[in-house]
Amino acid sequence: MSTPVTLTALLYGPDQTGLVARVAGWIFQRQGNILHADQHRDREAGIFFQRIEWEIAPGISANDEEKAFLEFSRNVIKMQARIADSIHRPRVALFVSKAGHCFHDLVLRWRAGDFPCEIVAVVSNHLELASVAQSYGLPFHHFPIFADTKVAGEAAQLALLNELGIELVVLARYMQVLSGDFLEKFGRPVINIHHSFLPAFAGGRPYHQAHARGVKLIGATAHYATRDLDEGPIIHQDVARVTHRHGVEDLVRKGRELEKMVLAQAVHWHLENRVLVYGNKTVVFD
Amino acid sequence: MSTPVTLTALLYGPDQTGLVARVAGWIFQRQGNILHADQHRDREAGIFFQRIEWEIAPGISANDEEKAFLEFSRNVIKMQARIADSIHRPRVALFVSKAGHCFHDLVLRWRAGDFPCEIVAVVSNHLELASVAQSYGLPFHHFPIFADTKVAGEAAQLALLNELGIELVVLARYMQVLSGDFLEKFGRPVINIHHSFLPAFAGGRPYHQAHARGVKLIGATAHYATRDLDEGPIIHQDVARVTHRHGVEDLVRKGRELEKMVLAQAVHWHLENRVLVYGNKTVVFD
Amino acid sequence: MSTPVTLTALLYGPDQTGLVARVAGWIFQRQGNILHADQHRDREAGIFFQRIEWEIAPGISANDEEKAFLEFSRNVIKMQARIADSIHRPRVALFVSKAGHCFHDLVLRWRAGDFPCEIVAVVSNHLELASVAQSYGLPFHHFPIFADTKVAGEAAQLALLNELGIELVVLARYMQVLSGDFLEKFGRPVINIHHSFLPAFAGGRPYHQAHARGVKLIGATAHYATRDLDEGPIIHQDVARVTHRHGVEDLVRKGRELEKMVLAQAVHWHLENRVLVYGNKTVVFD
Amino acid sequence: MSTPVTLTALLYGPDQTGLVARVAGWIFQRQGNILHADQHRDREAGIFFQRIEWEIAPGISANDEEKAFLEFSRNVIKMQARIADSIHRPRVALFVSKAGHCFHDLVLRWRAGDFPCEIVAVVSNHLELASVAQSYGLPFHHFPIFADTKVAGEAAQLALLNELGIELVVLARYMQVLSGDFLEKFGRPVINIHHSFLPAFAGGRPYHQAHARGVKLIGATAHYATRDLDEGPIIHQDVARVTHRHGVEDLVRKGRELEKMVLAQAVHWHLENRVLVYGNKTVVFD
């Protein structure tokens, strides 16, 4: 007997009486079995959010069920919906520059089975990580982009992402700003790790800024990349304690740990369809 | 127009297909509006758990609705259920001995509006906190219980709890073991704070034990009191870092902070009907 | 036999070879016994910092020894120094407005023996906390300061602080900006608690700002007040995790816990002479 | 001009007046320059502990200076001492079994320059990690030890460790108990990672134990291995929050993160000569 297929839907829209019952009723009626359902009401904004995960009846097509659910949510309950099934493993590209800590960490977790996805490409503006990518058996694509070649370079990157059917880009300390144009044309999520507790120390050299200000905690922030640098919806943040004993070098070293943990957690939640974006915020159903 | 009454139910029992839909359907049909619903499946044990909070239709009796829901859960879906409404504020007794930190903390939070309950009695085996209880306007009851007067003493305590209609006892560093007999006769929840990270350092003088072992973290554990001392279902735990610089006195001082925070959080969750006990564990819907 | 008197010195200045040995040698030669010594070198800036605590020989005057040490540090090793003895308990004024959580917390810790100081005055621009101050036996001073009476009001406050010999002001959620003029004339340390993780969300209504940005952690920062609001040297910071479930009200409630803990810790370190300010930063010898 | 050589000494012994001054004086007199000095008094036990790091005068032999210091501490101040210099990089063997998470983590940190040591051997009772060890260029030694071959197997391991001049063994989730005999004959430190918050859940399958007890935090503990399993001096511990949602598998997955962080930190402190063992405890000068 095969493992049952599960669907996960993320829904949101104007709050109405009976939403939980109607969604649960629709699933029940089609002989689905709800495994988890988590909902949230933003009372100030009058918005209802739900993540619901269910097993579909045996022998039924997951694709058909997904279409039916999207139709139900659009036409009957009038909610924005996104849906994913447990068969499909999203295709992911990692963007890196020179620093390898997040890259190694993500690949090792992926190989340990932590991430339900396929990492199919490593994209870089430098060559430092080419050989380790290859030692992991991952195709490495080099795009040495400079100010005057940015338009052409991004076009080439986009062509590659399209050709490979990439559904998620993870910026694993990719030290080059993606243009708003690139993000728009790609049209799919891009997760970035910023090496500070945003909104503190946005912009460049955040550990230097933190050291100069004499803060007692440093942070890292994983967020979706948007046209406005460092302003995208925050998925996850964490901090670590520092003291006067820590020079900038130490902040960088401690920060690497944070960056790895925070980025890995954000990617994990994203791949488990736990992150719902609305406006400039996220609802994380963890 | 009056604030709508909300009910909160905690349910558990053998897992069955369609439970979420059936509970949501029952509420919807009676024109209730679900505010929050959180469920959990223990797949190993095959048990389903749910916390569900909803507004009842205007003009309906909360009591009637509660009875109807309990009947539905018992007879139709065959689940264990507990229900509470937003009108009733449980009557609470604080048990204390000499140390005042948890006592002050709970009372100040209660006066700041953090705890939806009525603190109606302070019970102690010592006199140290009599005057501060009185300065808070709280009746203080002194039961100087010794080994040879324990049976009579506990009987007198029980009589007081019954007379006052106490629905929750909080042991705010009450340094005397309640007998299994007392707990059984009282028959309602008793929350205790143990000053270690259970199951490490159960029993007496846990900070001395922790210091002797040279641990690098100390802890505190809030749990429901049961016949087996320090073995009851854990509600909440937390830890704080210690170093070789901390003597036993420092552990005690740092521990006070932990005890306050951990006990207050456990009481808060209990009063918001977020804690479901099954076997010797809890499900905390936070 | 009496407890020996201990002195604690905080030193800093240009780094030179042999500083540890020279300070230790000076103390040893005068039959002092070093209990703790902690030093730090800021290699980038070429500055040496030290906190050193020692018992003076029996029968010697603490005052004379303090003067001798300050002379030694000024003239012989050319370091900036501050010194305190274990006999003197600094006189402290708490400034409050309407919110009582930090106020209660500080006073209860003080009464539990955690703070080696004398709290001798409560100063407020409101009347809300007058009766609780009195119930703790603390003199309450009301200065209802408005924009057009600020100069006169601050002058009256300064007169009181001078009259009472106040050595430390703690702003326990005092919701009024002290002018640079006031700080300069007072000339002694003023510790403030800001309800955000500075430098994020400086200025007013930080929890509203944090909620609007959708951060996943909120913070609190204790710092010395300076002429530039929210820019003074940071003593301590901490954060707590929040989610989409937390509205602004919840952030405020969670933030109160942080504010209490962070402010109490900062005051504690200050009173134990563990905080050395240089430039706009602190070295905390914890 | 060459970088100056630094020495780091760890000292302890009966407390006496003037120890800080005498040690600092000895160094000063030989034209050394103290970089850091950290000391601790265990007042209950009357023991003094110190870690002191200094640059020796240019042109002087580090070895001679080390010998002179050990003689001084033994004969003049009568303290137990251990000393290390900044030139020597200790030779380390990693012991592993099947799980690779700690192994990868340690090797990647080492390659990133975080650990001042030479990893010269990987020892395993299984073959699972042979190829990744080789891909890192690390010699892999397979000792398939069973109950009836333990004596011979450990003898062979010891012979290898001696031959390679191993100065530290790190048990990176090596799932076989080292005999007391082995530890004694090896005679050098062995760091182990236990996957629980000791002393809770000592022994086998700690995550299963933790899950059965319903704890709200899981932990990991790095300690020096001793004849008494799970009873050795604790170097570092940390915890992570778990809820009813986490099954045993999740605890294992979350635990892997903790194990990596806690073991890496302990190894780091050990290699920086920050850990002083006395009795069954450690003093960690961090």
Side-chain angles (χ1 to χ4, degrees), chain A residues 194 196-203 209 221 230-231 234 237, chain C residues 196-202 206 209-210 213-217:
Chain A
H194 183 79
S196 87
F197 179 76
L198 289 173
F201 311 126
Q209 292 184 56
T221 303
D230 301 334
E231 293 288 331
I234 293 171
Q237 304 188 286
Chain C
S196 86
F197 179 77
L198 288 173
F201 311 127
Q209 292 184 56
R213 180 62 184 93
V215 291
K216 302 299 186 186
L217 297 169

PDB file of all heavy atoms in Angstrom, chain A residues 194 196-203 209 221 230-231 234 237, chain C residues 196-202 206 209-210 213-217:
ATOM      1  N   HIS A 194      20.285  38.337   5.855  1.00  0.00           N
ATOM      2  CA  HIS A 194      20.996  39.588   6.136  1.00  0.00           C
ATOM      3  C   HIS A 194      21.695  39.432   7.474  1.00  0.00           C
ATOM      4  O   HIS A 194      21.107  38.954   8.442  1.00  0.00           O
ATOM      5  CB  HIS A 194      20.032  40.772   6.173  1.00  0.00           C
ATOM      6  CG  HIS A 194      20.754  42.074   6.378  1.00  0.00           C
ATOM      7  ND1 HIS A 194      21.405  42.723   5.375  1.00  0.00           N
ATOM      8  CD2 HIS A 194      20.963  42.798   7.495  1.00  0.00           C
ATOM      9  CE1 HIS A 194      21.981  43.813   5.846  1.00  0.00           C
ATOM     10  NE2 HIS A 194      21.723  43.879   7.131  1.00  0.00           N
ATOM     11  N   SER A 196      22.325  41.029  10.071  1.00  0.00           N
ATOM     12  CA  SER A 196      22.056  41.860  11.248  1.00  0.00           C
ATOM     13  C   SER A 196      20.615  41.639  11.667  1.00  0.00           C
ATOM     14  O   SER A 196      19.835  41.016  10.963  1.00  0.00           O
ATOM     15  CB  SER A 196      22.268  43.347  10.963  1.00  0.00           C
ATOM     16  OG  SER A 196      21.092  43.939  10.444  1.00  0.00           O
ATOM     17  N   PHE A 197      20.292  42.161  12.851  1.00  0.00           N
ATOM     18  CA  PHE A 197      18.933  42.112  13.348  1.00  0.00           C
ATOM     19  C   PHE A 197      18.185  43.292  12.725  1.00  0.00           C
ATOM     20  O   PHE A 197      18.149  44.372  13.300  1.00  0.00           O
ATOM     21  CB  PHE A 197      18.957  42.216  14.874  1.00  0.00           C
ATOM     22  CG  PHE A 197      17.595  42.208  15.491  1.00  0.00           C
ATOM     23  CD1 PHE A 197      16.883  41.031  15.598  1.00  0.00           C
ATOM     24  CD2 PHE A 197      17.028  43.376  15.962  1.00  0.00           C
ATOM     25  CE1 PHE A 197      15.621  41.027  16.168  1.00  0.00           C
ATOM     26  CE2 PHE A 197      15.773  43.380  16.533  1.00  0.00           C
ATOM     27  CZ  PHE A 197      15.067  42.204  16.634  1.00  0.00           C
ATOM     28  N   LEU A 198      17.613  43.068  11.553  1.00  0.00           N
ATOM     29  CA  LEU A 198      16.894  44.155  10.887  1.00  0.00           C
ATOM     30  C   LEU A 198      15.712  44.603  11.740  1.00  0.00           C
ATOM     31  O   LEU A 198      15.127  43.764  12.412  1.00  0.00           O
ATOM     32  CB  LEU A 198      16.389  43.695   9.509  1.00  0.00           C
ATOM     33  CG  LEU A 198      17.465  43.484   8.444  1.00  0.00           C
ATOM     34  CD1 LEU A 198      16.857  42.879   7.183  1.00  0.00           C
ATOM     35  CD2 LEU A 198      18.154  44.804   8.104  1.00  0.00           C
ATOM     36  N   PRO A 199      15.336  45.875  11.708  1.00  0.00           N
ATOM     37  CA  PRO A 199      15.854  46.938  10.862  1.00  0.00           C
ATOM     38  C   PRO A 199      17.126  47.605  11.377  1.00  0.00           C
ATOM     39  O   PRO A 199      17.549  48.607  10.790  1.00  0.00           O
ATOM     40  CB  PRO A 199      14.712  47.951  10.858  1.00  0.00           C
ATOM     41  CG  PRO A 199      14.077  47.781  12.187  1.00  0.00           C
ATOM     42  CD  PRO A 199      14.192  46.323  12.512  1.00  0.00           C
ATOM     43  N   ALA A 200      17.729  47.098  12.435  1.00  0.00           N
ATOM     44  CA  ALA A 200      18.990  47.703  12.858  1.00  0.00           C
ATOM     45  C   ALA A 200      20.080  47.316  11.863  1.00  0.00           C
ATOM     46  O   ALA A 200      20.126  46.170  11.405  1.00  0.00           O
ATOM     47  CB  ALA A 200      19.377  47.193  14.254  1.00  0.00           C
ATOM     48  N   PHE A 201      20.936  48.238  11.537  1.00  0.00           N
ATOM     49  CA  PHE A 201      22.101  47.944  10.712  1.00  0.00           C
ATOM     50  C   PHE A 201      21.749  47.364   9.351  1.00  0.00           C
ATOM     51  O   PHE A 201      22.310  46.359   8.922  1.00  0.00           O
ATOM     52  CB  PHE A 201      23.073  47.020  11.461  1.00  0.00           C
ATOM     53  CG  PHE A 201      23.379  47.481  12.846  1.00  0.00           C
ATOM     54  CD1 PHE A 201      23.195  46.650  13.937  1.00  0.00           C
ATOM     55  CD2 PHE A 201      23.824  48.776  13.070  1.00  0.00           C
ATOM     56  CE1 PHE A 201      23.465  47.078  15.230  1.00  0.00           C
ATOM     57  CE2 PHE A 201      24.101  49.218  14.357  1.00  0.00           C
ATOM     58  CZ  PHE A 201      23.916  48.367  15.435  1.00  0.00           C
ATOM     59  N   ALA A 202      20.782  47.962   8.690  1.00  0.00           N
ATOM     60  CA  ALA A 202      20.562  47.621   7.288  1.00  0.00           C
ATOM     61  C   ALA A 202      21.767  48.130   6.505  1.00  0.00           C
ATOM     62  O   ALA A 202      22.596  48.884   7.017  1.00  0.00           O
ATOM     63  CB  ALA A 202      19.270  48.267   6.799  1.00  0.00           C
ATOM     64  N   GLY A 203      21.872  47.686   5.249  1.00  0.00           N
ATOM     65  CA  GLY A 203      22.971  48.165   4.413  1.00  0.00           C
ATOM     66  C   GLY A 203      24.241  47.386   4.632  1.00  0.00           C
ATOM     67  O   GLY A 203      24.225  46.292   5.189  1.00  0.00           O
ATOM     68  N   GLN A 209      29.122  48.184  11.818  1.00  0.00           N
ATOM     69  CA  GLN A 209      28.169  49.123  12.415  1.00  0.00           C
ATOM     70  C   GLN A 209      27.833  48.716  13.853  1.00  0.00           C
ATOM     71  O   GLN A 209      27.782  49.558  14.757  1.00  0.00           O
ATOM     72  CB  GLN A 209      26.864  49.140  11.610  1.00  0.00           C
ATOM     73  CG  GLN A 209      26.941  49.727  10.211  1.00  0.00           C
ATOM     74  CD  GLN A 209      25.541  49.765   9.574  1.00  0.00           C
ATOM     75  OE1 GLN A 209      24.611  50.357  10.142  1.00  0.00           O
ATOM     76  NE2 GLN A 209      25.377  49.123   8.441  1.00  0.00           N
ATOM     77  N   THR A 221      18.924  37.964  10.045  1.00  0.00           N
ATOM     78  CA  THR A 221      17.535  38.055   9.599  1.00  0.00           C
ATOM     79  C   THR A 221      17.381  37.374   8.245  1.00  0.00           C
ATOM     80  O   THR A 221      18.077  37.744   7.299  1.00  0.00           O
ATOM     81  CB  THR A 221      17.134  39.540   9.443  1.00  0.00           C
ATOM     82  OG1 THR A 221      17.346  40.210  10.694  1.00  0.00           O
ATOM     83  CG2 THR A 221      15.688  39.683   9.028  1.00  0.00           C
ATOM     84  N   ASP A 230      16.732  44.957   1.938  1.00  0.00           N
ATOM     85  CA  ASP A 230      16.644  44.791   3.399  1.00  0.00           C
ATOM     86  C   ASP A 230      15.286  45.178   3.962  1.00  0.00           C
ATOM     87  O   ASP A 230      15.139  45.355   5.176  1.00  0.00           O
ATOM     88  CB  ASP A 230      17.737  45.593   4.132  1.00  0.00           C
ATOM     89  CG  ASP A 230      19.135  45.200   3.709  1.00  0.00           C
ATOM     90  OD1 ASP A 230      19.322  44.059   3.269  1.00  0.00           O
ATOM     91  OD2 ASP A 230      20.043  46.045   3.817  1.00  0.00           O
ATOM     92  N   GLU A 231      14.298  45.331   3.092  1.00  0.00           N
ATOM     93  CA  GLU A 231      12.977  45.752   3.562  1.00  0.00           C
ATOM     94  C   GLU A 231      11.922  44.672   3.357  1.00  0.00           C
ATOM     95  O   GLU A 231      10.754  44.893   3.633  1.00  0.00           O
ATOM     96  CB  GLU A 231      12.542  47.022   2.808  1.00  0.00           C
ATOM     97  CG  GLU A 231      13.369  48.252   3.103  1.00  0.00           C
ATOM     98  CD  GLU A 231      13.097  48.798   4.488  1.00  0.00           C
ATOM     99  OE1 GLU A 231      11.969  48.628   4.995  1.00  0.00           O
ATOM    100  OE2 GLU A 231      14.030  49.388   5.064  1.00  0.00           O
ATOM    101  N   ILE A 234      10.031  39.625   6.751  1.00  0.00           N
ATOM    102  CA  ILE A 234      10.954  38.862   7.601  1.00  0.00           C
ATOM    103  C   ILE A 234      10.370  37.486   7.888  1.00  0.00           C
ATOM    104  O   ILE A 234       9.228  37.362   8.309  1.00  0.00           O
ATOM    105  CB  ILE A 234      11.203  39.629   8.917  1.00  0.00           C
ATOM    106  CG1 ILE A 234      11.971  40.925   8.625  1.00  0.00           C
ATOM    107  CG2 ILE A 234      11.977  38.756   9.909  1.00  0.00           C
ATOM    108  CD1 ILE A 234      12.073  41.866   9.819  1.00  0.00           C
ATOM    109  N   GLN A 237      14.408  35.495  12.629  1.00  0.00           N
ATOM    110  CA  GLN A 237      15.514  36.291  13.171  1.00  0.00           C
ATOM    111  C   GLN A 237      16.031  35.617  14.424  1.00  0.00           C
ATOM    112  O   GLN A 237      15.281  34.983  15.154  1.00  0.00           O
ATOM    113  CB  GLN A 237      15.026  37.702  13.571  1.00  0.00           C
ATOM    114  CG  GLN A 237      14.363  38.466  12.475  1.00  0.00           C
ATOM    115  CD  GLN A 237      14.090  39.911  12.865  1.00  0.00           C
ATOM    116  OE1 GLN A 237      13.191  40.183  13.636  1.00  0.00           O
ATOM    117  NE2 GLN A 237      14.868  40.823  12.327  1.00  0.00           N
TER     118      GLN A 237
ATOM    119  N   SER C 196      13.047  48.970  23.147  1.00  0.00           N
ATOM    120  CA  SER C 196      13.311  48.303  21.879  1.00  0.00           C
ATOM    121  C   SER C 196      14.768  47.868  21.872  1.00  0.00           C
ATOM    122  O   SER C 196      15.556  48.253  22.744  1.00  0.00           O
ATOM    123  CB  SER C 196      13.055  49.204  20.675  1.00  0.00           C
ATOM    124  OG  SER C 196      14.187  49.989  20.355  1.00  0.00           O
ATOM    125  N   PHE C 197      15.087  47.075  20.875  1.00  0.00           N
ATOM    126  CA  PHE C 197      16.461  46.649  20.676  1.00  0.00           C
ATOM    127  C   PHE C 197      17.164  47.741  19.891  1.00  0.00           C
ATOM    128  O   PHE C 197      17.201  47.720  18.674  1.00  0.00           O
ATOM    129  CB  PHE C 197      16.461  45.325  19.905  1.00  0.00           C
ATOM    130  CG  PHE C 197      17.845  44.815  19.622  1.00  0.00           C
ATOM    131  CD1 PHE C 197      18.585  44.213  20.618  1.00  0.00           C
ATOM    132  CD2 PHE C 197      18.400  44.947  18.361  1.00  0.00           C
ATOM    133  CE1 PHE C 197      19.863  43.744  20.354  1.00  0.00           C
ATOM    134  CE2 PHE C 197      19.680  44.478  18.097  1.00  0.00           C
ATOM    135  CZ  PHE C 197      20.403  43.876  19.097  1.00  0.00           C
ATOM    136  N   LEU C 198      17.715  48.697  20.579  1.00  0.00           N
ATOM    137  CA  LEU C 198      18.401  49.805  19.906  1.00  0.00           C
ATOM    138  C   LEU C 198      19.585  49.270  19.109  1.00  0.00           C
ATOM    139  O   LEU C 198      20.215  48.309  19.544  1.00  0.00           O
ATOM    140  CB  LEU C 198      18.894  50.839  20.931  1.00  0.00           C
ATOM    141  CG  LEU C 198      17.811  51.684  21.577  1.00  0.00           C
ATOM    142  CD1 LEU C 198      18.403  52.542  22.692  1.00  0.00           C
ATOM    143  CD2 LEU C 198      17.090  52.543  20.568  1.00  0.00           C
ATOM    144  N   PRO C 199      19.893  49.841  17.947  1.00  0.00           N
ATOM    145  CA  PRO C 199      19.347  51.073  17.403  1.00  0.00           C
ATOM    146  C   PRO C 199      18.054  50.887  16.599  1.00  0.00           C
ATOM    147  O   PRO C 199      17.604  51.846  15.990  1.00  0.00           O
ATOM    148  CB  PRO C 199      20.472  51.576  16.497  1.00  0.00           C
ATOM    149  CG  PRO C 199      21.128  50.329  16.021  1.00  0.00           C
ATOM    150  CD  PRO C 199      21.034  49.361  17.160  1.00  0.00           C
ATOM    151  N   ALA C 200      17.484  49.686  16.579  1.00  0.00           N
ATOM    152  CA  ALA C 200      16.209  49.527  15.884  1.00  0.00           C
ATOM    153  C   ALA C 200      15.125  50.221  16.702  1.00  0.00           C
ATOM    154  O   ALA C 200      15.113  50.123  17.929  1.00  0.00           O
ATOM    155  CB  ALA C 200      15.867  48.052  15.715  1.00  0.00           C
ATOM    156  N   PHE C 201      14.236  50.899  16.032  1.00  0.00           N
ATOM    157  CA  PHE C 201      13.070  51.482  16.670  1.00  0.00           C
ATOM    158  C   PHE C 201      13.412  52.460  17.790  1.00  0.00           C
ATOM    159  O   PHE C 201      12.871  52.391  18.889  1.00  0.00           O
ATOM    160  CB  PHE C 201      12.135  50.382  17.199  1.00  0.00           C
ATOM    161  CG  PHE C 201      11.848  49.325  16.172  1.00  0.00           C
ATOM    162  CD1 PHE C 201      12.050  47.980  16.440  1.00  0.00           C
ATOM    163  CD2 PHE C 201      11.372  49.686  14.920  1.00  0.00           C
ATOM    164  CE1 PHE C 201      11.795  47.011  15.489  1.00  0.00           C
ATOM    165  CE2 PHE C 201      11.107  48.711  13.952  1.00  0.00           C
ATOM    166  CZ  PHE C 201      11.322  47.371  14.240  1.00  0.00           C
ATOM    167  N   ALA C 202      14.342  53.334  17.527  1.00  0.00           N
ATOM    168  CA  ALA C 202      14.551  54.441  18.451  1.00  0.00           C
ATOM    169  C   ALA C 202      13.310  55.334  18.366  1.00  0.00           C
ATOM    170  O   ALA C 202      12.481  55.181  17.479  1.00  0.00           O
ATOM    171  CB  ALA C 202      15.805  55.218  18.056  1.00  0.00           C
ATOM    172  N   PRO C 206       7.885  52.293  20.142  1.00  0.00           N
ATOM    173  CA  PRO C 206       8.677  51.254  19.474  1.00  0.00           C
ATOM    174  C   PRO C 206       7.916  49.956  19.241  1.00  0.00           C
ATOM    175  O   PRO C 206       8.182  49.279  18.250  1.00  0.00           O
ATOM    176  CB  PRO C 206       9.864  51.038  20.413  1.00  0.00           C
ATOM    177  CG  PRO C 206       9.494  51.675  21.696  1.00  0.00           C
ATOM    178  CD  PRO C 206       8.504  52.748  21.401  1.00  0.00           C
ATOM    179  N   GLN C 209       6.074  50.374  16.098  1.00  0.00           N
ATOM    180  CA  GLN C 209       7.000  50.283  14.971  1.00  0.00           C
ATOM    181  C   GLN C 209       7.379  48.820  14.694  1.00  0.00           C
ATOM    182  O   GLN C 209       7.420  48.375  13.541  1.00  0.00           O
ATOM    183  CB  GLN C 209       8.291  51.048  15.284  1.00  0.00           C
ATOM    184  CG  GLN C 209       8.167  52.560  15.370  1.00  0.00           C
ATOM    185  CD  GLN C 209       9.563  53.173  15.582  1.00  0.00           C
ATOM    186  OE1 GLN C 209      10.485  52.959  14.804  1.00  0.00           O
ATOM    187  NE2 GLN C 209       9.726  53.927  16.658  1.00  0.00           N
ATOM    188  N   ALA C 210       7.663  48.078  15.762  1.00  0.00           N
ATOM    189  CA  ALA C 210       8.096  46.678  15.602  1.00  0.00           C
ATOM    190  C   ALA C 210       6.978  45.853  14.982  1.00  0.00           C
ATOM    191  O   ALA C 210       7.205  45.010  14.118  1.00  0.00           O
ATOM    192  CB  ALA C 210       8.500  46.094  16.959  1.00  0.00           C
ATOM    193  N   ARG C 213       6.618  46.569  11.281  1.00  0.00           N
ATOM    194  CA  ARG C 213       7.687  46.004  10.462  1.00  0.00           C
ATOM    195  C   ARG C 213       7.621  44.478  10.387  1.00  0.00           C
ATOM    196  O   ARG C 213       8.235  43.851   9.540  1.00  0.00           O
ATOM    197  CB  ARG C 213       9.049  46.449  11.018  1.00  0.00           C
ATOM    198  CG  ARG C 213      10.260  45.923  10.261  1.00  0.00           C
ATOM    199  CD  ARG C 213      10.285  46.396   8.821  1.00  0.00           C
ATOM    200  NE  ARG C 213      11.392  45.814   8.049  1.00  0.00           N
ATOM    201  CZ  ARG C 213      11.269  44.706   7.323  1.00  0.00           C
ATOM    202  NH1 ARG C 213      10.121  44.068   7.264  1.00  0.00           N
ATOM    203  NH2 ARG C 213      12.304  44.250   6.650  1.00  0.00           N
ATOM    204  N   GLY C 214       6.886  43.874  11.328  1.00  0.00           N
ATOM    205  CA  GLY C 214       6.779  42.416  11.290  1.00  0.00           C
ATOM    206  C   GLY C 214       8.029  41.696  11.758  1.00  0.00           C
ATOM    207  O   GLY C 214       8.361  40.628  11.268  1.00  0.00           O
ATOM    208  N   VAL C 215       8.714  42.267  12.750  1.00  0.00           N
ATOM    209  CA  VAL C 215       9.908  41.586  13.265  1.00  0.00           C
ATOM    210  C   VAL C 215       9.502  40.347  14.061  1.00  0.00           C
ATOM    211  O   VAL C 215       8.369  40.223  14.508  1.00  0.00           O
ATOM    212  CB  VAL C 215      10.765  42.504  14.174  1.00  0.00           C
ATOM    213  CG1 VAL C 215      11.412  43.605  13.344  1.00  0.00           C
ATOM    214  CG2 VAL C 215       9.934  43.091  15.300  1.00  0.00           C
ATOM    215  N   LYS C 216      10.454  39.443  14.247  1.00  0.00           N
ATOM    216  CA  LYS C 216      10.189  38.179  14.926  1.00  0.00           C
ATOM    217  C   LYS C 216      10.758  38.159  16.341  1.00  0.00           C
ATOM    218  O   LYS C 216      10.636  37.160  17.056  1.00  0.00           O
ATOM    219  CB  LYS C 216      10.746  37.016  14.109  1.00  0.00           C
ATOM    220  CG  LYS C 216      10.182  36.919  12.685  1.00  0.00           C
ATOM    221  CD  LYS C 216       8.666  36.717  12.663  1.00  0.00           C
ATOM    222  CE  LYS C 216       8.135  36.467  11.247  1.00  0.00           C
ATOM    223  NZ  LYS C 216       6.647  36.428  11.236  1.00  0.00           N
ATOM    224  N   LEU C 217      11.414  39.243  16.709  1.00  0.00           N
ATOM    225  CA  LEU C 217      11.949  39.397  18.063  1.00  0.00           C
ATOM    226  C   LEU C 217      11.705  40.828  18.505  1.00  0.00           C
ATOM    227  O   LEU C 217      11.854  41.751  17.702  1.00  0.00           O
ATOM    228  CB  LEU C 217      13.469  39.158  18.085  1.00  0.00           C
ATOM    229  CG  LEU C 217      14.016  37.795  17.702  1.00  0.00           C
ATOM    230  CD1 LEU C 217      15.537  37.866  17.541  1.00  0.00           C
ATOM    231  CD2 LEU C 217      13.669  36.751  18.749  1.00  0.00           C
TER     232      LEU C 217
END
